[in-house]
Amino acid sequence: MGGVPALQEPLKKVLGPATAKVMAEHLGLHTVGDLLHHYPRRYEERGQLTHLADLPMDEHVTVVAQVADARLHSFASAKAPRGKGQRLEVTITDGSGRLQLVFFGNGVHKPHKDLLPGTRAMFSGKVSLFNRRLQLAHPAYELLRGDGDEAVESWAGALIPIYPATAKLESWKIGKAVQTVLPSAQEALDPLPDSLRAGRGLLPLPEALLKIHRPHTKADIADARARLKWDEAFVLQVALARRRHAETHLPAVPRVAGPDGLLAAFDDRLPFTLTEGQQKVSHEIFTDLATPHPMHRLLQGEVGSGKTMVALRAMLAVVDAGGQAAMLAPTEVLAQQHHRSITEMMGELAEGGMLGGAEHATKVVLLTGSMGTAARRHALLDLATGEAGIVIGTHALIEDKVQFHDLGLVVVDEQHRFGVEQRDALRGKGKQPPHLLVMTATPIPRTVAMTVFGDLETSVLDQLPAGRSPIATHVVPAADKPHFLARAWERVREEVEAGHQAYVVCPRIGDEEDDPKKAGKKPAEGEEKRPPLAVLDVAEQLGRGPLEGLKVEILHGRMHPDDKDAVMRRFAAGETDVLVATTVIEVGVNVPNATAMVIMDADRFGVSQLHQLRGRVGRGSAPGLCLLVTEMPEASPARQRLNAVASTLDGFELSRIDLEQRREGDVLGQAQSGARSSLRVLAVIEDEEVIAEARAEAAAVVAADPELERLPGLRTTLDALLDDEREQYLEKG
């Protein structure tokens, strides 16, 4: 093939420029190899038809059915005033239901000849509603008739593959294109080492590709999928294992706390004992910090499990050992909150160089984008001279002007809100690579941790500190039972009368810049397309209505940082009864006296986000209450999601539910949801066993042959998977 390996041949040479252009633009397929890895979504059996009874509205579908009847009607219209307009109505059936197809104008002639009663065909189009009946207008179709018929030949065997398609390219056209390139599958380089493949009884790759696209039996499909899952899991785990291997060879300064330094002085001041979990995780972190290679650790902890305390002790250990520590927070509200709580926890230990500062004290500085010039200059000077041992800030920490005296540890709070580039830029500020601790309060299922964070060692805090209270969560169906909503506001008043405070969370701010089209999620099926409820509107209605007489304040991301801080200070001091806010309070806000939370339009938030929000209440000794208000009907998927959140406080269980509903995104790509997934047959939740085994195999392969010199097939596949962007993504971590 002129020197180009068969699977790297551009599709435009093989299929022609028009088809190749559609495949590239709409499906992201550019080479023969890309197309061979575009697997069928499901398979139709000749004898068994798709159910016309459960067609989804507004979606592109492919159905196999029989023509029951076809009628040509004439009508008058603006374009054909003399009654010369033509409309062909074809009714098809599959035994479970009937569906009407319509063709107009010059488009009626061919289907009128082809679609005679009794004809079997595949039809593809977008399902719409006309006169309260489902229909496909101008569907594409492919006849399934006659032995010598080329169409039937192209689906040799009893199983017809149905491919993920687009409006521009029907499933069977993709199928025909696949048949054209299928002979090239023989030249596919096998990434799996022979010993691994033989040991697990997996098909060779060319055979797996053949069987997934042209199966004769269901067993063929199962064998092919089992093999292709292994490819995806193994290649991904090898990429991560190579990265871990490379990092263990990077130099870092070991940081060991002294026996009677800052950390010991801090521990002596603690008014409580650390939980067993906190002690265990701290031990893991201190062991990592003492090695001459950079720590890369993910600290997962349920909301309120005391992650900040663990991170603070790690920072103090590094300061003790002569280094500096930086904590990166996703929002200014959170950076200010962390700064406040850390200086409070440390007391005079945070007053280094000041009158009244303790013997081992250091300086704790805050650095955010909205600080005044003088305060900012002062903070930068403290960092450059080493006067400040700890800095807490937003992405302002990453700017070129920020210089550290000796950066030893980077703590990233809520990793999922930070781009890899930002973490990388901060790590680049150390003279040698600093140690890295990533904290997340979004529990991550073990398999996701092994894939998305496969380069990080994982520590889990799953015990809540003593004195934490349980949170009761209830769904409030505002549309079905309006009196439940009225009762919700009564409960808020009762909490306030008992001396507590409450949050009300809305999906939108409600100012002019706030575009309801962009806010929240797309309305689900059957939902009224009203804009999501807004902070400004809800606060006003509550103040004039059910919460009249209470002190109600608002908080959202577009307020001036000083105003936000003032609002949070008043709320923390107990001067405000009810805080109506957007999700700016989702992370890290700690007001133990707040016991109730009402989340408006709760169906507009994801499962993990609801769990995060709920974690803001029940942080003191009084029990917490979280009310999820929704107008979605009882049978809707949105309500099922909310019921799941209400039924458990186990974040790991909820993260599984969340993942199952969202599907995995591109695990290696930067967007971790939505984009076309690099995982085509591997399901992160269902295939836990495959991922765990692949991780162990990958680690062994990389330990024995880090450059993969003895495995050229694996090396080539890896290079193809890790295109430049992903290679950088893994490099930056």
Side-chain angles (χ1 to χ4, degrees):
M1 299 186 94
V4 178
L7 270 65
Q8 287 168 27
E9 190 76 21
L11 285 173
K12 60 173 178 279
K13 285 195 175 174
V14 188
L15 303 174
T19 308
K21 185 168 185 264
V22 177
M23 286 196 169
E25 285 175 7
H26 295 274
L27 295 168
L29 308 175
H30 303 277
T31 65
V32 167
D34 291 345
L35 181 53
L36 286 174
H37 289 291
H38 185 71
Y39 308 133
R41 177 179 287 152
R42 58 189 172 85
Y43 301 85
E44 283 293 355
E45 293 178 68
R46 287 271 153 75
Q48 178 198 342
L49 303 177
T50 354
H51 290 309
L52 290 180
D54 12 286
L55 287 178
M57 272 296 292
D58 283 339
E59 278 195 29
H60 227 79
V61 297
T62 300
V63 295
V64 179
Q66 189 161 5
V67 177
D69 109 325
R71 296 178 186 195
L72 194 59
H73 301 275
S74 298
F75 61 92
S77 70
K79 285 184 182 170
R82 296 205 183 95
K84 296 258 178 76
Q86 290 196 307
R87 181 176 77 246
L88 176 65
E89 291 178 3
V90 178
T91 306
I92 58 172
T93 178
D94 68 350
S96 76
R98 294 165 87 80
L99 179 66
Q100 190 168 50
L101 318 177
V102 288
F103 301 87
F104 294 100
N106 294 335
V108 303
H109 304 305
K110 189 169 185 320
H112 191 217
K113 275 206 314 248
D114 290 343
L115 301 178
L116 304 171
T119 305
R120 303 265 316 284
M122 291 177 87
F123 301 93
S124 178
K126 194 172 179 184
V127 182
S128 57
L129 202 59
F130 181 72
N131 279 345
R132 305 175 92 172
R133 288 172 66 188
L134 292 181
Q135 69 167 28
L136 296 183
H138 282 282
Y141 61 88
E142 187 85 358
L143 302 181
L144 298 175
R145 234 176 118 188
D147 293 338
D149 202 301
E150 186 190 322
V152 176
E153 284 304 302
S154 68
W155 294 299
L159 294 157
I160 305 169
I162 305 294
Y163 288 89
T166 76
K168 295 267 190 286
L169 203 63
E170 293 85 17
S171 166
W172 56 81
K173 287 188 181 161
I174 297 170
K176 283 185 165 173
V178 169
Q179 296 303 329
T180 306
V181 302
L182 205 49
S184 304
Q186 294 306 327
E187 296 182 46
L189 275 176
D190 202 321
L192 295 191
D194 292 345
S195 55
L196 188 159
R197 206 187 69 231
R200 295 183 178 276
L202 298 169
L203 298 177
L205 181 57
E207 193 181 334
L209 290 170
L210 207 62
K211 285 187 169 174
I212 197 124
H213 290 295
R214 198 186 271 174
H216 292 290
T217 63
K218 287 183 176 169
D220 283 354
I221 300 168
D223 291 348
R225 287 178 70 85
R227 160 62 216 244
L228 295 167
K229 275 181 184 186
W230 253 93
D231 275 18
E232 288 178 7
F234 181 71
V235 173
L236 177 55
Q237 291 301 338
V238 167
L240 294 165
R242 289 184 74 201
R243 178 152 177 242
R244 286 196 303 274
H245 183 271
E247 278 169 350
T248 56
H249 291 77
L250 284 176
V253 180
R255 310 280 179 175
V256 182
D260 48 9
L262 179 60
L263 178 62
F266 175 76
D267 284 350
D268 290 344
R269 290 174 47 95
L270 282 180
F272 52 82
T273 51
L274 297 172
T275 64
E276 213 177 294
Q278 284 174 316
Q279 288 173 2
K280 176 175 145 285
V281 170
S282 288
H283 176 70
E284 291 169 352
I285 291 170
F286 293 149
T287 305
D288 283 359
L289 289 174
T291 64
H293 304 294
M295 163 173 82
H296 287 95
R297 190 165 281 282
L298 174 70
L299 172 56
Q300 293 191 59
E302 275 290 11
V303 179
S305 56
K307 291 183 299 300
T308 310
M309 173 61 71
V310 169
L312 176 56
R313 293 182 74 240
M315 293 196 285
L316 295 174
V318 168
V319 175
D320 238 0
Q324 291 169 294
M327 181 185 251
L328 197 54
T331 63
E332 292 208 349
V333 167
L334 188 51
Q336 287 161 341
Q337 172 92 21
H338 275 319
H339 182 253
R340 205 159 42 236
S341 62
I342 282 174
T343 46
E344 279 167 14
M345 281 194 266
M346 288 175 66
E348 73 259 24
L349 294 174
E351 294 167 4
M354 291 184 256
L355 276 173
E359 182 196 348
H360 298 290
T362 186
K363 220 180 217 184
V364 180
V365 298
L366 175 69
L367 190 65
T368 64
S370 64
M371 281 168 77
T373 315
R376 187 177 171 78
R377 194 180 298 126
H378 207 82
L380 290 171
L381 189 64
D382 284 342
L383 287 179
T385 59
E387 185 84 10
I390 294 177
V391 58
I392 293 149
T394 54
H395 54 269
L397 281 176
I398 294 162
E399 290 172 14
D400 293 342
K401 293 192 210 83
V402 182
Q403 297 297 324
F404 288 86
H405 177 65
D406 180 13
L407 181 60
L409 170 67
V410 174
V411 177
V412 179
D413 193 11
E414 287 307 307
Q415 183 275 342
H416 66 278
R417 291 167 173 246
F418 272 104
V420 171
E421 289 79 9
Q422 293 167 308
R423 268 160 58 188
D424 189 48
L426 189 52
R427 275 163 65 181
K429 297 209 175 267
K431 294 186 177 71
Q432 284 193 319
H435 299 280
L436 174 70
L437 179 65
V438 173
M439 298 198 298
T440 175
T442 308
I444 301 163
R446 175 169 165 258
T447 45
V448 180
M450 284 193 291
T451 46
V452 181
F453 301 104
D455 57 311
L456 300 174
E457 298 300 327
T458 305
S459 295
V460 179
L461 272 177
D462 45 15
Q463 262 177 307
L464 288 188
R468 275 305 169 85
S469 304
I471 305 169
T473 310
H474 303 286
V475 178
V476 177
D480 314 351
K481 298 176 178 167
H483 60 286
F484 276 34
L485 183 58
R487 175 72 188 119
W489 301 126
E490 282 171 24
R491 283 291 289 114
V492 170
R493 288 195 90 99
E494 287 164 15
E495 289 298 313
V496 173
E497 279 157 18
H500 300 301
Q501 292 157 280
Y503 297 100
V504 176
V505 182
C506 305
R508 197 162 65 89
I509 298 172
D511 55 12
E512 288 69 45
E513 292 180 59
D514 214 5
D515 182 351
K517 290 192 191 78
K518 294 176 191 158
K521 294 181 301 194
K522 285 182 196 152
E525 200 181 322
E527 182 182 337
E528 281 302 304
K529 291 184 169 58
R530 68 160 171 77
L533 292 171
V535 167
L536 301 179
D537 306 339
V538 169
E540 190 189 339
Q541 287 160 13
L542 291 175
R544 284 189 286 118
L547 302 185
E548 196 176 356
L550 300 186
K551 184 147 177 33
V552 177
E553 287 211 68
I554 61 171
L555 180 70
H556 59 74
R558 276 208 283 276
M559 288 164 64
H560 187 278
D562 292 349
D563 297 340
K564 280 194 276 198
D565 201 36
V567 169
M568 272 319 298
R569 280 178 190 277
R570 286 195 292 273
F571 191 64
E575 294 164 23
T576 306
D577 298 321
V578 179
L579 187 62
V580 182
T582 56
T583 54
V584 290
I585 60 137
E586 176 188 347
V587 172
V589 174
N590 185 22
V591 180
N593 191 45
T595 53
M597 175 178 284
V598 181
I599 303 179
M600 307 305 290
D601 278 345
D603 46 274
R604 309 254 181 177
F605 300 99
V607 169
S608 295
Q609 203 172 23
L610 291 169
H611 184 57
Q612 282 288 320
L613 286 166
R614 166 171 67 182
R616 300 302 112 212
V617 296
R619 299 178 80 85
S621 51
L625 171 69
C626 179
L627 301 174
L628 308 174
V629 179
T630 178
E631 294 182 359
M632 295 303 282
E634 198 166 345
S636 64
R639 271 287 279 282
Q640 288 163 11
R641 206 170 62 234
L642 296 181
N643 291 340
V645 175
S647 68
T648 178
L649 288 171
D650 180 341
F652 285 92
E653 179 54 32
L654 288 175
S655 67
R656 286 184 77 98
I657 294 167
D658 192 24
L659 195 72
E660 281 164 1
Q661 290 184 336
R662 280 188 304 121
R663 303 296 307 146
E664 303 84 16
D666 191 342
V667 169
L668 284 181
Q670 299 203 16
Q672 281 174 14
S673 66
R676 184 168 151 260
S677 174
S678 64
L679 300 185
R680 297 181 181 87
V681 285
L682 189 74
V684 172
I685 289 288
E686 293 155 29
D687 298 319
E688 185 166 339
E689 211 173 293
V690 174
I691 292 169
E693 289 175 17
R695 182 179 167 101
E697 293 273 11
V701 164
V702 171
D705 180 7
E707 292 306 310
L708 308 178
E709 285 163 1
R710 297 192 290 282
L711 296 165
L714 176 56
R715 177 81 231 198
T716 306
T717 307
L718 205 56
D719 292 344
L721 174 74
L722 303 179
D723 52 38
D724 294 343
E725 178 199 347
R726 290 190 181 152
E727 186 75 80
Q728 284 171 354
Y729 175 88
L730 280 176
E731 283 308 313
K732 287 177 178 173

